[in-house]
Amino acid sequence: MRMGTKMHPFFSCFLLLLLVSPHSYGEKEEEDEFEEIKRSDFPKHFFFGASTSSYQIEGGYLEDGKGISNWDVFSHTPGKIINNDTGDVADDHYHRYLEDIELMHSMGMNAYRFSISWTRILPRGRFGKVNKRGINFYNKIIDNLLLKGIEPFVTIYHFDYPMELETRYESWMSSQMQDDFVDFANICFEEFGDRVKYWMTINEPEMVAILGYKKGNFPPAHCSPPFGNCSIGNSDREPLIVMHNQLLAHAKAVSLYRTHFQEKQGGSIGITISMQMYEPLDQQLDRKAADRFLAFHVGWIYDPIVYGDYPKKMREILGSELPSFSDEDKKYIKGSLDFTSINHYTTKYVKDCFHSSCTDEANRPINAFTETTPYRNGILIGDQMGMPGLYVVPRGMEKVINYIKQKYPNQSIFVTENGYSMPTSDGNKVEDIVNDWKRIKFHKSYLAALAKAMRNGGHVRGYFAWSLMDNFEWIRGYDTRFGLFYVDHLKTLERRPKLSAHWFTSFLGGYPLNFHPSE
Ligand code: BGC
């Protein structure tokens, strides 16, 4: 067996783990039994890969003409990130990309999802020149992936944009951002579209809207009470404007792609949403609240993109606060996707706030008069992950696929992120971190739920683990680790396979041509 970095003694325990019979997670309300999962449970041409994003792994933040991004500025603001970590060096992928591609190749992955750093290509957005050295960097990545038989899945924008766009016109608060985004997308299609066949315009527009403009804990840190105490912002209105601009930016980029590139390049395009599952806390009383919550999260994005307008429920509750699409906009937006791309991690319960008492926040229209909770009768919905707010609930994977199938029929689906971060209480030593048997259980059980959804007619075409390696986990810095590979951020930046990397290697071994077990 060949790994990009040296093998280590955990391999034997890992073999033992493979023999462990299917089982369920610890104490929680509803047990999720799962079946043992095999590569052959998925179609032959299914994509199995890992996901990353530029700011979280690249580093090289001032190198080769790169401009300053919103995240460069934010992470350099004292107190914003745990331990005041920054992405200045991150995983140093900017210099180690060949090694990282080899890691995926060794695991037998046939796809890789990564994002383009806007400021590496356009340091000042539309207000400066294209940086050829940035283009070269991604050309090298794409070419080397293809050499190894790994299909590139490219996210055009994953949270990091040129700071100049913030300073000039407040970025996503302004419709000017649509033009900047389309300009950036155009360059990506022109430069990389001959080889990139899967494009995602924007990663998780609702996270940009909610974390940046409602809660204010992501840049540009806008919010207002009761959601937070930022120096600027309006948590009820701004997220709606920011989403509207992102949706139109997406739609215009798709239109550009379809008019000028798609026919000759033969690729496809979508948008990635964060799609968690929400179950009614009380099966009777909270059923409508759960539907409402999903409409306000998933429908907020996919209803306009598939059907041309926001969900009726949103209009009913938000009235004129919710922006409107003109007839011209509707022409662009309706049908502006070739596939759905969802990032799925967790499931929570939803409680109705029309008829029961809730917090101030939950009682706001922007929250659809709903509240979420991981508890039912004092019992957690699933094991808590290291990342606050995330619980292990494999059945959620099946449910999200069923939901997409019902609400947005005929769409093929990619699960572009799914992953686990270990609680720090499970140990902080390198040995504890690489011995990540809980991550293996997580992936096995979620994959089993995915296979079940596919047997029941879910048209899923690929699955990407978040993440290839430990990386800069936004405001949580390097303390929260989602990687299949451990990265020593403090000293050597060495990548070390965790048990889960070995598990993926074994799981994928049966199929991909580029896997050489005897080497
Ligand atoms: C984001 C990633 C992030 C992951 C884990 C997703 O919402 O796309 O950038 O690292 O969740 O928090």
Side-chain angles (χ1 to χ4, degrees):
M1 177 181 294
R2 175 156 63 104
M3 295 297 291
T5 99
K6 63 180 184 307
M7 293 299 302
H8 67 78
F10 281 125
F11 191 59
S12 47
C13 343
F14 137 76
L15 278 177
L16 271 179
L17 260 171
L18 288 178
L19 298 175
V20 171
S21 57
H23 48 294
S24 57
Y25 276 89
E27 287 179 28
K28 58 192 166 146
E29 200 182 29
E30 203 175 316
E31 293 287 302
D32 278 316
E33 294 294 336
F34 64 90
E35 290 167 18
E36 197 58 68
I37 189 81
K38 303 179 295 307
R39 175 63 181 85
S40 56
D41 293 328
F42 296 86
K44 188 165 178 187
H45 298 293
F46 197 80
F47 288 109
F48 272 107
S51 253
T52 63
S53 88
S54 51
Y55 189 74
Q56 293 179 273
I57 63 166
E58 284 179 6
Y61 88 116
L62 289 177
E63 270 181 69
D64 293 338
K66 178 185 162 296
I68 294 292
S69 78
N70 57 335
W71 271 94
D72 290 322
V73 174
F74 191 72
S75 68
H76 278 253
T77 312
K80 294 290 188 197
I81 315 287
I82 291 187
N83 300 327
N84 287 324
D85 287 339
T86 71
D88 294 2
V89 177
D91 289 335
D92 195 29
H93 176 74
Y94 192 65
H95 299 109
R96 295 168 194 244
Y97 62 93
L98 283 178
E99 182 190 339
D100 295 336
I101 291 172
E102 186 52 35
L103 300 181
M104 291 182 277
H105 178 229
S106 306
M107 279 190 287
M109 290 180 164
N110 60 1
Y112 172 46
R113 173 175 175 258
F114 62 98
S115 77
I116 311 261
S117 156
W118 196 330
T119 48
R120 242 183 242 298
I121 305 286
L122 287 162
R124 304 180 50 209
R126 263 179 307 151
F127 305 97
K129 293 202 182 105
V130 175
N131 178 26
K132 283 285 170 205
R133 287 175 292 177
I135 305 267
N136 286 345
F137 172 61
Y138 294 107
N139 272 333
K140 286 187 284 183
I141 293 189
I142 294 165
D143 289 345
N144 280 287
L145 286 170
L146 291 172
L147 268 177
K148 300 279 176 181
I150 301 176
E151 188 73 42
F153 279 65
V154 176
T155 312
I156 297 173
Y157 156 65
H158 191 131
F159 300 170
D160 54 334
Y161 56 75
M163 189 60 194
E164 179 146 354
L165 309 183
E166 191 62 48
T167 325
R168 277 188 187 254
Y169 57 72
E170 288 193 278
S171 70
W172 291 113
M173 282 298 291
S174 161
S175 59
Q176 292 185 60
M177 192 69 163
Q178 298 172 25
D179 300 334
D180 259 290
F181 180 76
V182 173
D183 182 53
F184 173 39
N186 184 36
I187 292 166
C188 293
F189 301 145
E190 246 168 34
E191 298 287 345
F192 312 126
D194 54 337
R195 288 150 295 152
V196 171
K197 302 302 166 207
Y198 297 91
W199 292 102
M200 283 133 296
T201 51
I202 299 181
N203 180 68
E204 302 185 344
E206 69 283 37
M207 287 298 134
V208 175
I210 290 171
L211 301 176
Y213 297 84
K214 183 162 108 178
K215 299 193 172 161
N217 48 6
F218 267 33
H222 286 208
C223 68
S224 59
F227 297 95
N229 278 316
C230 303
S231 55
I232 174 173
N234 179 329
S235 297
D236 290 309
R237 286 191 47 240
E238 290 191 355
L240 302 174
I241 297 168
V242 164
M243 177 61 83
H244 200 72
N245 282 322
Q246 290 183 91
L247 289 172
L248 288 171
H250 156 86
K252 288 177 184 172
V254 171
S255 162
L256 174 88
Y257 184 66
R258 286 183 172 164
T259 318
H260 294 290
F261 299 96
Q262 193 161 36
E263 200 183 338
K264 106 176 148 251
Q265 297 182 342
S268 52
I269 190 159
I271 183 169
T272 301
I273 70 164
S274 159
M275 192 175 169
Q276 313 318 321
M277 189 26 75
Y278 296 93
E279 298 178 347
L281 180 61
D282 179 297
Q283 290 296 351
Q284 297 306 319
L285 302 179
D286 298 311
R287 203 171 39 79
K288 283 194 179 151
D291 288 348
R292 221 161 52 233
F293 193 91
L294 281 160
F296 269 62
H297 282 75
V298 180
W300 193 16
I301 302 156
Y302 274 153
D303 273 28
I305 287 179
V306 176
Y307 300 118
D309 210 347
Y310 293 117
K312 281 205 188 72
K313 257 291 160 239
M314 286 192 86
R315 179 68 62 199
E316 227 172 272
I317 293 180
L318 296 165
S320 59
E321 293 272 288
L322 185 66
S324 295
F325 294 108
S326 67
D327 290 343
E328 183 68 12
D329 293 342
K330 283 187 186 164
K331 272 198 275 167
Y332 280 116
I333 197 150
K334 187 174 174 184
S336 59
L337 84 174
D338 299 324
F339 57 82
T340 53
S341 154
I342 59 167
N343 295 346
H344 176 69
Y345 290 85
T346 201
T347 297
K348 283 188 226 165
Y349 300 119
V350 180
K351 175 180 153 192
D352 174 53
C353 294
F354 279 131
H355 305 104
S356 56
S357 65
C358 289
T359 60
D360 273 3
E361 275 185 31
N363 275 320
R364 310 287 280 222
I366 190 141
N367 275 345
F369 299 99
T370 58
E371 188 161 70
T372 64
T373 167
Y375 289 100
R376 181 186 271 157
N377 301 325
I379 299 172
L380 264 188
I381 189 164
D383 291 346
Q384 165 85 61
M385 301 191 212
M387 178 82 161
L390 298 188
Y391 307 89
V392 181
V393 190
R395 66 176 182 275
M397 176 64 93
E398 187 188 350
K399 289 187 177 180
V400 290
I401 303 298
N402 289 341
Y403 186 86
I404 298 272
K405 193 174 76 184
Q406 277 158 20
K407 291 265 177 191
Y408 311 103
N410 311 321
Q411 302 293 338
S412 55
I413 306 170
F414 290 98
V415 177
T416 38
E417 286 182 29
N418 176 237
Y420 178 81
S421 65
M422 211 139 87
T424 41
S425 54
D426 283 355
N428 249 335
K429 293 207 274 314
V430 181
E431 276 58 40
D432 303 323
I433 296 170
V434 296
N435 193 1
D436 62 340
W437 58 273
K438 284 191 181 171
R439 182 172 285 106
I440 298 177
K441 280 176 75 179
F442 175 93
H443 283 290
K444 278 170 134 182
S445 60
Y446 273 66
L447 279 169
L450 185 65
K452 189 165 168 216
M454 290 171 69
R455 283 197 297 277
N456 293 331
H459 184 34
V460 185
R461 296 177 52 205
Y463 173 91
F464 295 75
W466 183 272
S467 180
L468 173 62
M469 54 197 162
D470 295 338
N471 57 45
F472 179 80
E473 182 43 49
W474 307 115
I475 55 171
R476 306 195 64 77
Y478 297 101
D479 266 6
T480 300
R481 295 172 180 269
F482 278 91
L484 304 179
F485 283 80
Y486 167 84
V487 178
D488 176 3
H489 290 111
L490 287 181
K491 289 202 202 107
T492 62
L493 290 166
E494 185 204 350
R495 283 84 164 120
R496 196 166 146 182
K498 300 184 187 174
L499 282 184
S500 55
H502 292 301
W503 180 79
F504 266 104
T505 307
S506 162
F507 172 71
L508 295 176
Y511 259 94
L513 298 171
N514 53 21
F515 182 77
H516 309 284
S518 55
E519 277 182 41

